């Protein structure tokens, strides 16, 4: 696999939210900020400066670029703790822990796949830090999560390789999507031919 | 976040634009300073002798603010793009394919149909309000309507352009009638430009130039190449797609504005310099009045039958760009040009 075919870890999250959103962002290069994306940026300002520090014998890195050649996957880990016996990736999220989404777990697991390949060590646990509660939740990286993650990333590869734009599937999620005005989920309702017929027929 | 396509026009001679901290500051020739609201600005139009610092240009590129520079004669000399953001090679390839002469006809037809329907709408409006009994007008409106049928059946671009020409002359035939103030001074002798030879043409040309700039911004903001058009063919230095996108909006936005400014007496015959050679220039004060009117016009909302929404003009433009991009990427089977109702 060539380097330019690698997909971003972040794209998994976008794909799970909506395949069309994923294609719009990565194939069509369309991006729009919303309150939520901006809040995320501000939160990540701290974690996205490359730094290495030590606390109680634990090496802590922020903004480390990771890659998996096997899965054609690359991305940036917010924080990684290198303990003497294990590696713990930590993902920072704006929200609360009661909203532990599958997508957050998949994102974490994708980081684990990369780290395992890079270090040769197996990793059984990661963590998600929830900013509203200032606390972390530990996530088991079990077989079910691993196979779900591989499924999702395979689908993203397919979507981005084919360069197709999935048609709109309107749902409640559209209202929260930062791309809603660029995607225009409403507009597939009418055939363009019908539109012209209506417009022309009103000419009296 | 909504694209508002807010445009800031800097036309004061000998003024300058500089960064002061994180904001752009305009300093006028008399020393007066103004902080510009960069948050809601999508593009900057600079005309004539205005000094702009490189830091301002870098700021604009970084924040996706389109900068266009016009000479005092209203020719666009350069524009600065929104860096690499939004550049989408897939969409451009699709555009390249679709704008080839042998593929361009369907979209070109839509553009012309949109244009004709909107011109038809303007004449109907005029008839309803001022010329209910005018037999000649009623006949011409029905001739104009007839062109729609021909457009649908047009076999190539040249034929299509022929029908467009016929409707345009039917439409412009009534332009002088729609002007009801200072009729002796505001009188167009056909469409002429570069240089405009009468006041009405001077206003129309200026308006189309301003609209052209906004259309370039519109096209670029959806990741399309403004130079590759459907109806307008390739010509170096010409933004053919921007010209295409203008067609459905000329009568609705600029023609209406010109007539309104004249009829309300906001622009008067004294607002022009007329050269001994006959060419006409708009004085600076009237340009400002024109631009203020243009900005007002942009705040009006229009119902879009295709999306089923009421949209302000900048948002409507953006939707048209999106619709065209969607057509090019195979999501819809045609381009639904905007038709006013």
């Amino acid at each position: 696999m060539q380097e330019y075919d690698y997909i971003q870890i972040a794209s998994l999250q976008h794909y799970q939210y909506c395949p069309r959103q994923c294609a719009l962002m990565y194939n069509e290069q369309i991006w729009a900020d919303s309150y939520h994306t901006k809040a995320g940026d501000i939160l990540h300002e701290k974690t996205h400066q490359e730094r290495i520090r030590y606390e109680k014998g634990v090496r802590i890195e922020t903004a480390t670029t990771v890659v998996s050649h096997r899965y054609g996957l690359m991305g940036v880990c917010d924080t990684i703790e290198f303990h003497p016996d294990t590696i713990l990736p930590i993902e920072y999220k704006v929200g609360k822990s009661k909203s532990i989404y599958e997508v957050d777990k998949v994102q974490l697991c994708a980081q684990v796949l990369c780290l395992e390949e890079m270090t040769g060590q197996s990793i059984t646990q990661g963590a998600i830090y929830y900013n509203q509660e200032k606390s972390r939740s530990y996530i088991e990286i079990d077989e079910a999560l691993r196979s779900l993650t591989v499924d999702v990333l395979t689908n993203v590869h397919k979507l981005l390789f084919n360069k197709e734009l999935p048609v709109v599937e309107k749902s409640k999620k559209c209202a929260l999507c930062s791309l809603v005005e660029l995607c225009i989920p409403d507009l597939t309702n009418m055939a363009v031919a019908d539109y012209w017929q209506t417009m022309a027929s009103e000419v009296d | 976040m909504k694209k508002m396509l807010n445009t800031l026009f800097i036309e004061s001679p000998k003024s300058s634009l500089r960064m002061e901290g994180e904001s752009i500051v305009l300093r006028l020739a008399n020393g007066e300073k103004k902080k510009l609201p960069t948050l809601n600005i999508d593009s900057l139009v600079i005309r004539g002798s205005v000094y702009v610092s490189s830091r301002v240009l870098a700021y604009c590129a970084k924040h996706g603010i389109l900068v266009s520079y016009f000479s005092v004669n209203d020719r666009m000399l350069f524009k600065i793009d929104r860096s690499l953001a939004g550049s989408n090679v897939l969409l451009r390839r699709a555009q390249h394919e679709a704008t080839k002469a042998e593929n361009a006809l369907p979209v070109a037809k839509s553009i012309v149909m949109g244009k004709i329907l909107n011109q038809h709408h303007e004449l109907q409006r005029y008839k309803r309000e001022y010329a209910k009994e005018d037999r000649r007008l009623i006949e011409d409106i029905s001739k104009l309507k007839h062109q729609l049928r021909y457009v649908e059946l047009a076999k190539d671009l040249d034929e299509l352009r022929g029908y467009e020409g016929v409707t345009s002359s039917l439409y412009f035939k009534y332009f002088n009638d729609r002007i009801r103030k200072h009729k002796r001074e505001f009188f167009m002798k056909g469409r002429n430009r570069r240089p405009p030879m009468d006041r009405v043409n001077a206003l129309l040309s200026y308006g189309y130039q301003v609209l052209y700039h906004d259309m370039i911004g519109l096209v670029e903001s959806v990741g399309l190449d403004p130079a590759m058009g459907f109806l307008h063919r390739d010509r170096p230095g010409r933004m053919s797609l921007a010209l295409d996108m203008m067609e459905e909006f000329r009568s609705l936005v600029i023609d209406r504005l010109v007539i309104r400014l004249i009829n309300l007496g906001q622009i008067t015959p004294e607002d022009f310099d007329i050269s001994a050679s006959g060419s006409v220039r708009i004085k600076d004060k009237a340009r400002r009045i024109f631009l203020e009117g243009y900005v007002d016009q942009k705040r009006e909302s229009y119902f879009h039958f295709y999306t089923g929404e009421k949209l302000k003009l900048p948002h409507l433009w953006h939707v048209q760009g999106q619709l065209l991009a969607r057509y090019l990427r195979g999501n819809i089977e045609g381009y639904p040009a905007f038709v006013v109702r």
Side-chain angles (χ1 to χ4, degrees):
Chain A
M1 196 175 286
Q2 308 253 305
E3 193 167 355
Y4 47 74
D5 286 327
Y6 284 33
I7 56 169
Q8 299 285 324
I9 289 176
S11 70
L12 305 183
Q13 190 182 355
H14 297 131
Y15 180 86
Q16 283 170 290
Y17 192 78
C18 167
R20 181 172 163 94
Q21 186 202 54
C22 183
L24 283 171
M25 285 177 172
Y26 296 93
N27 271 345
E28 308 284 314
Q29 295 286 305
I30 285 174
W31 178 257
D33 275 315
S34 67
Y35 168 75
H36 298 282
T37 64
K38 272 289 167 204
D41 285 352
I42 291 162
L43 174 66
H44 284 88
E45 253 171 45
K46 244 189 285 174
T47 57
H48 273 194
Q49 286 168 5
E50 284 178 63
R51 266 208 202 111
I52 298 168
R53 65 177 199 276
Y54 288 88
E55 271 177 30
K56 295 175 195 157
V58 178
R59 178 184 165 104
I60 302 170
E61 294 185 15
T62 54
T64 302
T65 303
V66 294
V67 66
S68 160
H69 301 293
R70 182 175 165 205
Y71 292 112
L73 194 62
M74 59 193 297
V76 175
C77 290
D78 288 340
T79 300
I80 311 168
E81 290 181 1
F82 291 92
H83 295 265
D85 52 342
T86 184
I87 300 170
L88 184 75
I90 305 155
E91 176 62 22
Y92 281 65
K93 292 288 170 201
V94 177
K96 293 180 193 164
S97 65
K98 70 171 178 209
S99 56
I100 296 187
Y101 293 112
E102 211 167 60
V103 290
D104 294 348
K105 289 189 195 171
V106 164
Q107 192 182 1
L108 193 64
C109 182
Q111 295 173 7
V112 165
L113 295 179
C114 293
L115 280 169
E116 284 183 331
E117 191 179 307
M118 291 169 85
T119 63
Q121 266 180 268
S122 66
I123 299 170
T124 54
Q125 214 180 35
I128 301 175
Y129 177 89
Y130 288 95
N131 195 46
Q132 275 191 23
E133 308 175 333
K134 309 276 181 229
S135 72
R136 35 167 100 150
S137 304
Y138 290 92
I139 309 290
E140 294 307 314
I141 312 293
D142 55 19
E143 275 315 307
L145 179 56
R146 283 170 191 269
S147 87
L148 171 65
T149 305
V150 172
D151 280 352
V152 174
L153 73 87
T154 309
N155 285 335
V156 174
H157 268 297
K158 258 188 234 159
L159 176 78
L160 299 186
F161 179 78
N162 290 335
K163 311 262 187 282
E164 274 162 19
L165 184 59
V167 293
V168 175
E169 279 179 39
K170 215 191 160 199
S171 76
K172 275 184 271 176
K173 286 189 279 188
C174 293
L176 293 172
C177 176
S178 66
L179 298 186
V180 65
E181 281 155 7
L182 304 162
C183 164
I184 326 180
D186 286 318
L187 65 73
T188 46
N189 298 337
M190 195 188 305
V192 176
D194 292 345
Y195 169 76
W196 282 119
Q197 205 150 40
T198 313
M199 292 298 107
S201 71
E202 293 196 352
V203 177
D204 46 23
Chain B
M1 280 176 214
K2 261 182 188 137
K3 277 256 146 215
M4 291 314 294
L5 286 173
N6 279 326
T7 307
L8 212 57
F9 298 88
I10 313 288
E11 302 206 349
S12 314
K14 298 205 171 82
S15 57
S16 71
L17 289 177
R18 291 168 210 270
M19 294 304 292
E20 282 185 18
E22 276 296 291
S23 37
I24 301 177
V25 172
L26 167 70
R27 189 194 286 269
L28 299 172
N30 63 11
E32 201 184 319
K33 270 167 70 169
K34 279 180 185 153
K35 220 180 211 180
L36 305 182
T38 47
L39 190 64
N40 296 316
I41 294 299
D42 292 308
S43 72
L44 211 57
V45 175
I46 295 154
R47 182 172 166 274
S49 63
V50 177
Y51 168 84
V52 185
S53 82
S54 57
R55 283 188 59 211
V56 168
L57 297 178
Y59 180 90
C60 290
K62 193 174 161 205
H63 291 82
I65 300 171
L66 175 74
V67 181
S68 303
Y69 182 85
F70 288 81
S71 74
V72 280
N73 304 320
D74 296 316
R75 290 200 48 174
M76 185 186 275
L77 295 181
F78 65 80
K79 66 186 172 60
I80 294 177
D81 235 300
R82 339 178 308 129
S83 66
L84 295 169
S87 98
N88 174 359
V89 66
L90 301 172
L91 187 57
R92 299 253 171 148
R93 268 201 202 287
Q95 185 188 357
H96 183 231
E97 204 46 42
T99 50
K100 283 181 179 167
E102 65 269 28
N103 301 334
L105 194 58
V107 173
K109 274 186 187 179
S110 290
I111 290 164
V112 174
M113 294 215 292
K115 178 177 183 167
I116 294 177
L117 283 163
N118 289 337
Q119 286 177 335
H120 182 271
H121 179 90
E122 295 304 290
L123 286 191
Q124 284 283 33
R125 238 166 60 122
Y126 166 66
K127 189 194 89 179
R128 263 201 312 273
E129 284 177 45
Y130 300 101
K132 280 206 179 76
E133 306 298 322
D134 188 338
R135 292 306 313 167
R136 192 183 56 131
L137 173 63
I138 291 164
E139 218 167 88
D140 281 338
I141 288 177
S142 92
K143 270 190 210 158
L144 190 145
K145 187 180 75 187
H146 234 79
Q147 296 297 311
L148 268 182
R149 307 267 173 279
Y150 299 137
V151 164
E152 279 174 53
L153 300 171
K155 284 183 294 296
D156 57 47
L157 288 166
D158 281 335
E159 200 184 327
L160 181 64
R161 280 189 206 103
Y163 302 135
E164 187 211 348
V166 173
T167 46
S168 274
S169 55
L170 285 168
Y171 166 81
F172 273 112
K173 201 167 142 187
Y174 293 91
F175 211 83
N176 288 328
D177 295 339
R178 293 164 68 193
I179 294 169
R180 293 186 311 281
K181 206 159 191 159
H182 303 293
K183 281 179 90 77
R184 218 155 47 88
E185 292 89 352
F186 287 113
F187 188 86
M188 71 190 285
K189 299 162 262 187
R191 245 318 262 153
N192 56 61
R193 61 210 172 96
R194 250 178 235 164
M197 300 299 284
D198 56 66
R199 293 179 178 85
V200 175
N201 271 296
L203 289 171
L204 286 176
S205 290
Y206 184 56
Y208 294 152
Q209 193 65 255
V210 172
L211 183 62
Y212 179 52
H213 166 267
D214 270 351
M215 293 298 107
I216 293 173
L218 143 79
V219 165
E220 284 181 339
S221 75
V222 295
L224 289 165
D225 183 342
M228 282 191 277
F230 295 87
L231 182 66
H232 292 83
R233 305 313 300 163
D234 294 358
R235 187 191 294 169
R238 182 165 84 175
M239 301 291 121
S240 295
L241 184 60
L243 290 171
D244 281 357
M245 301 305 284
M246 270 172 76
E247 293 299 347
E248 60 211 85
F249 294 106
R250 280 175 196 262
S251 62
L252 176 66
V253 181
I254 300 303
D255 301 356
R256 239 188 227 190
L257 174 62
V258 166
I259 288 169
R260 195 182 80 211
L261 290 173
I262 296 172
N263 286 350
L264 292 177
Q266 286 178 292
I267 287 184
T268 64
E270 291 72 46
D271 284 324
F272 300 81
D273 287 321
I274 298 176
S275 145
S277 68
S279 69
V280 177
R281 280 187 41 183
I282 310 167
K283 288 183 187 167
D284 287 349
K285 191 191 110 224
R287 281 174 197 282
R288 190 175 310 160
I289 292 167
F290 189 97
L291 292 175
E292 281 166 9
Y294 182 69
V295 171
D296 279 346
Q297 190 106 345
K298 286 215 247 181
R299 295 202 187 99
E300 296 216 1
S301 296
Y302 299 87
F303 181 75
H304 198 319
F305 190 79
Y306 190 78
T307 65
E309 288 174 292
K310 222 175 161 193
L311 302 165
K312 285 202 170 67
L313 211 39
H315 193 194
L316 175 59
W317 288 338
H318 195 68
V319 165
Q320 289 312 114
Q322 286 296 321
L323 289 170
L324 183 59
R326 291 291 156 269
Y327 164 75
L328 293 172
R329 300 287 284 124
N331 265 209
I332 47 177
E333 72 285 9
Y335 169 67
F338 174 70
V339 176
V340 68
R341 286 155 51 94

